[in-house]
Amino acid sequence: MEFAQGETLSPARLRLAVRYTLEEFAVRHPGRAVEIRIPPCGAAQALPGVNHRRGTPPNVVEMPAVTWLNLVLGRETDRNTISKSGIRADIEGYLPLFGDIRNYSAQRPSSSPSQSSS
């Protein structure tokens, strides 16, 4: 949630956020036709179509971690940092992954549950 609230993530938390969102993307859009690479954090294969098994995939999308997280969250980002190869390497129609976060409330829930007295 920190990144969604505009905070800068530590390298470890950035890698964790990227890996989680790559996994979530692959679960929501199963297949092996496109490889999404976010070096050095991770990679995932997704989207239906011709399965890739060995060697360099024919459809690859690669970008920095912050660019990926911005796209996943529906934020504007520098698209010049996105490298695409292959005829199916456009994944932007599948993003944002979590919907529009502009209406996200930065207020965090209380750490202790409210108790009602009866």
Side-chain angles (χ1 to χ4, degrees):
M1 285 295 200
E2 294 90 4
F3 188 84
Q5 295 171 343
E7 296 178 28
T8 301
L9 299 178
S10 69
R13 292 190 61 86
L14 184 68
R15 283 190 303 276
L16 181 66
V18 167
R19 288 179 184 153
Y20 168 76
T21 54
L22 283 170
E23 182 179 328
E24 184 68 20
F25 187 88
V27 167
R28 291 186 188 194
H29 308 290
R32 298 184 63 175
V34 179
E35 184 166 286
I36 301 112
R37 297 177 180 170
I38 315 299
C41 302
Q45 291 183 350
L47 303 179
V50 177
N51 285 348
H52 165 71
R53 289 186 170 78
R54 297 183 68 186
T56 302
N59 302 293
V60 176
V61 180
E62 186 171 320
M63 67 191 82
V66 171
T67 301
W68 169 251
L69 292 178
N70 281 329
L71 289 173
V72 163
L73 294 172
R75 292 182 177 161
E76 285 299 315
T77 192
D78 182 8
R79 284 171 166 66
N80 291 326
T81 63
I82 302 171
S83 169
K84 300 176 188 178
S85 66
I87 59 171
R88 302 217 38 230
D90 186 7
I91 61 169
E92 291 189 42
Y94 298 93
L95 298 167
L97 192 57
F98 299 112
D100 187 352
I101 64 152
R102 286 178 282 197
N103 296 323
Y104 174 78
S105 171
Q107 184 177 10
R108 294 182 186 209
S110 172
S111 59
S112 62
S114 61
Q115 298 176 349
S116 60
S117 56
S118 341

